[in-house]
């Protein structure tokens, strides 16, 4: 099977550190969840949903499950009525905070730039 240069480059990207990072934090809401957990951790589901705004219950639940599966956040369930669940960054998740901080700094520096 012939590969176009784009397909070949995309395949190589998967094998890079950049590609791995994108696989963990890519998507519409993952970085937003990490950002809020970096600011307020631990945080409950409903608080995250309010902070993010415009995210459905189903989408937030799926995003949190993916981040937990990848070891970036932890989920703590407290046995009480009503049930209480909190989410927090793990050490691995906290190690992404400098990346998010750099993105914030870049955004501040280039916010007024006209394209």
């Amino acid at each position: 099977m012939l590969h176009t240069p784009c397909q070949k480059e995309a395949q190589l990207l998967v094998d890079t550190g950049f590609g791995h990072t994108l696989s963990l934090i890519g998507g519409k809401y993952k970085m937003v969840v990490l950002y809020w957990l970096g600011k307020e951790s631990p945080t409950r589901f409903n608080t995250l949903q309010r902070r993010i705004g415009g995210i459905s219950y189903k989408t937030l639940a799926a995003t949190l499950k993916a981040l937990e599966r990848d070891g970036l956040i932890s989920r703590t369930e407290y046995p009480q009525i009503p049930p209480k669940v909190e989410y927090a960054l793990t050490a691995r998740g906290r190690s992404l905070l400098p990346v998010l901080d750099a993105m914030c700094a870049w955004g501040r520096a280039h916010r007024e730039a006209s394209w």
Side-chain angles (χ1 to χ4, degrees):
M1 178 173 150
L2 290 174
H3 292 283
T4 65
C6 290
Q7 289 173 325
K8 188 173 184 179
E9 288 172 15
Q11 181 60 39
L12 295 176
L13 180 64
V14 172
D15 297 328
T16 66
F18 183 75
H20 178 67
T21 303
L22 283 180
S23 74
L24 295 176
I25 64 171
K28 188 170 182 179
Y29 292 107
K30 285 183 177 180
M31 285 196 295
V32 177
V33 168
L34 293 171
Y35 172 83
W36 281 113
L37 288 177
K39 291 183 78 66
E40 301 173 10
S41 194
T43 303
R44 296 179 72 176
F45 185 96
N46 289 336
T47 302
L48 279 172
Q49 194 171 28
R50 278 193 307 274
R51 295 275 190 260
I52 295 168
I55 187 171
S56 71
Y57 179 94
K58 182 179 177 180
T59 300
L60 180 55
T63 300
L64 290 168
K65 283 180 185 176
L67 290 169
E68 183 181 14
R69 180 194 64 230
D70 293 333
L72 299 176
I73 67 170
S74 63
R75 179 182 187 274
T76 305
E77 188 172 335
Y78 298 93
Q80 64 186 43
I81 297 177
K84 178 181 174 182
V85 177
E86 291 182 332
Y87 297 90
L89 293 176
T90 61
R92 186 176 189 198
R94 285 190 303 276
S95 72
L96 282 168
L97 292 179
V99 174
L100 298 178
D101 288 340
M103 291 175 70
C104 288
W106 188 92
R108 280 190 304 274
H110 297 281
R111 173 180 263 164
E112 300 302 321
S114 61
W115 298 95

